[in-house]
Amino acid sequence: MAESASAKEFDILVLGGGSGGYAAALRAVQLGLTVGLIEKGKLGGTCLHNGCIPTKALLHSAEIADSARESEKYGVKATFDSIDMDAVNKYKDGVIAGKYRGLQGLIKSRGITVIEGAGKLASQTTVDVEGTVYTGKHIILATGSYSRSLPGLEIGGKVITSDQALTMDFVPKKAIILGGGVIGCEFASVWKSFGVDVTIIEALPSLVPNEDASIVKGFERAFKKRGIAFNTGTRFQSVEQNDDGVVVTLEDGKTFEADLMLVAVGRGPVTQDLGYEEAGLTMDRGYVITDERLHTGVGTIYAVGDIVPGLQLAHRGFSQGIFVAEEIGGLKPVVVADLNIPKVTYSDPEIASVGYTEKAAREKFGDDRVETHEYNLAGNGKSTIIGTGGLVKLVREKDGPIVGVHMLGSRMGEQIGEAQLIVNWEAYPEDVAPLIHAHPTQNEALGEAHLALAGKPLHG
């Protein structure tokens, strides 16, 4: 609901209405606390309007396009004509609008006071919203992130970020994507399915460099098979725009031409000119530094989500928002640990992972204290039916629990729920092996991998 002129004091002021901010607000009112939720844009933030939801809508359209092209392989005669971006955007925007209305209704029904406008931290207990000062016994900073560029690389014209890519009304013939992380690979997957000639430029030695080496190898092989080109291990140098598009030059002298270039080199924290330094918060490269309980060390100010160093994931911010609300409410919640937060790259194929990679586990426990097993999806009936390859990889502390699960394949993100339970509950392979996994499902692959690591492999 809109805030009234007299409602200026709250138990909690939340600066930012994205995933972390609105989750904190919703949990806080459940605990009987009054909440003022400050947002200059739309409730739901980047995830709902410019990130998670719209990109996944595009990815679903891309999946439909691929299904139409490949339908004859499955005994269905269909003709693929073209991509209608007006219709794609109408579908995407409809999904966003429906979720937005739902969130607005939920916030209103819970009695949260929504304060519209740009807020700035004015002191340890106050936030100035365009000239009006609000007071909170506690303040939660949740101002989110923005699409980052490289030093000296200006966004504009035919050099775009994901913000512009999500609203494009045409399909380019040829595109260069600067950055081979999650965002870059997801757009590469979409555009390839839309018929675009795509090349990814990544300075590091591989795509999705934070994932397990076995997954990366399989992922790159799958992208090559799809015809998605990538150049890794060489840094970007410059881009020139002309009437035909862009010419991109790398430090090794290689050049690439395309209709446009998408800059997908990560996201930066939205913290500049918001009064954080003036209030005494410790900052590092724009990020707000907190302790493990997300307290900033200043007064009763907390920070959550993308402005806190670590994984930049909507569900991380969401969980942190709930955590801080419960912390303020005196419930002493369990700390949200980045290591055990599930991650999914929603491309084709998908990557889903949680916990230690094999490399990180060996660094943590020692080479002789780590066991792994890889289960090939070729042995999984449902994966064969839907036409996907890939693998499930388990990382185990020797004679101990599973410390990492890594999966590659179409729709494998849907299996991350069980995987994160296994890792977070420190389950042993012997604990999971007796559990019954329905047949035929891709979920069986997770079960079979644990059977194998428990010493009783069936199909692999």
Side-chain angles (χ1 to χ4, degrees), residues 27-334:
R27 184 66 181 116
V29 295
Q30 287 181 334
L31 299 175
L33 302 170
T34 59
V35 178
L37 180 58
I38 304 164
E39 173 55 55
K40 67 178 181 180
K42 293 181 177 180
L43 292 175
T46 295
C47 177
L48 177 54
H49 301 284
N50 304 101
C52 321
I53 299 301
T55 54
K56 278 55 184 179
L58 291 182
L59 281 156
H60 186 59
S61 292
E63 183 182 12
I64 298 299
D66 288 333
S67 295
R69 285 192 188 93
E70 300 167 1
S71 64
E72 193 167 345
K73 180 168 66 175
Y74 301 102
V76 178
K77 292 187 176 181
T79 302
F80 175 81
D81 184 12
S82 63
I83 301 295
D84 181 346
M85 282 308 299
D86 288 339
V88 169
N89 285 326
K90 182 179 180 181
Y91 153 67
K92 166 180 64 69
D93 294 343
V95 173
I96 295 170
K99 303 303 291 183
Y100 180 46
R101 286 192 300 270
L103 178 59
Q104 286 177 304
L106 181 61
I107 294 292
K108 183 177 181 179
S109 70
R110 297 290 174 85
I112 296 168
T113 299
V114 177
I115 304 166
E116 298 178 356
K120 181 175 181 178
L121 194 60
S123 73
Q124 295 182 13
T125 57
T126 59
V127 176
D128 184 311
V129 183
E130 300 179 4
T132 301
V133 177
Y134 298 85
T135 300
K137 294 177 182 176
H138 300 83
I139 292 177
I140 301 175
L141 307 176
T143 43
S145 62
Y146 67 94
S147 295
R148 193 195 292 274
S149 185
L150 296 177
L153 176 56
E154 294 186 9
I155 304 300
K158 296 166 185 174
V159 178
I160 65 175
T161 69
S162 59
D163 293 337
Q164 293 81 46
L166 286 169
T167 60
M168 286 170 52
D169 59 1
F170 69 98
V171 178
K173 292 182 179 179
K174 197 170 185 179
I176 293 170
I177 297 176
L178 184 59
V182 174
I183 296 172
C185 287
E186 289 186 351
F187 272 100
S189 188
V190 168
W191 282 348
K192 184 62 183 179
S193 296
F194 283 1
V196 182
D197 183 356
V198 181
T199 299
I200 303 171
I201 306 297
E202 171 56 52
L204 294 175
S206 72
L207 301 181
V208 288
N210 293 326
E211 296 294 344
D212 186 89
S214 298
I215 298 297
V216 171
K217 183 178 179 180
F219 183 77
E220 290 185 340
R221 187 164 53 243
F223 261 33
K224 285 180 181 178
K225 187 175 180 180
R226 289 191 61 194
I228 298 173
F230 49 90
N231 190 100
T232 58
T234 306
R235 298 177 67 87
F236 164 87
Q237 180 171 284
S238 64
V239 59
E240 294 181 5
Q241 301 190 44
N242 55 45
D243 292 341
D244 296 325
V246 296
V247 179
V248 175
T249 303
L250 305 187
E251 287 185 348
D252 63 1
K254 288 182 182 177
T255 60
F256 300 85
E257 297 182 10
D259 299 337
L260 55 81
M261 181 175 78
L262 167 64
V263 179
V265 293
R267 298 185 64 82
V270 176
T271 56
Q272 189 173 3
D273 300 324
L274 294 179
Y276 293 177
E277 295 91 342
E278 293 82 351
L281 273 61
T282 301
M283 310 293 292
D284 180 17
R285 296 171 294 115
Y287 292 95
V288 179
I289 303 303
T290 70
D291 62 18
E292 68 171 5
R293 305 198 74 79
L294 301 174
H295 187 260
T296 64
V298 175
T300 53
I301 302 175
Y302 294 81
V304 302
D306 287 358
I307 63 173
V308 178
L311 297 174
Q312 292 183 316
L313 298 169
H315 47 282
R316 173 185 184 248
F318 189 87
S319 297
Q320 289 180 337
I322 294 172
F323 172 89
V324 169
E326 294 183 346
E327 181 81 351
I328 292 170
L331 300 185
K332 298 181 180 179
V334 176

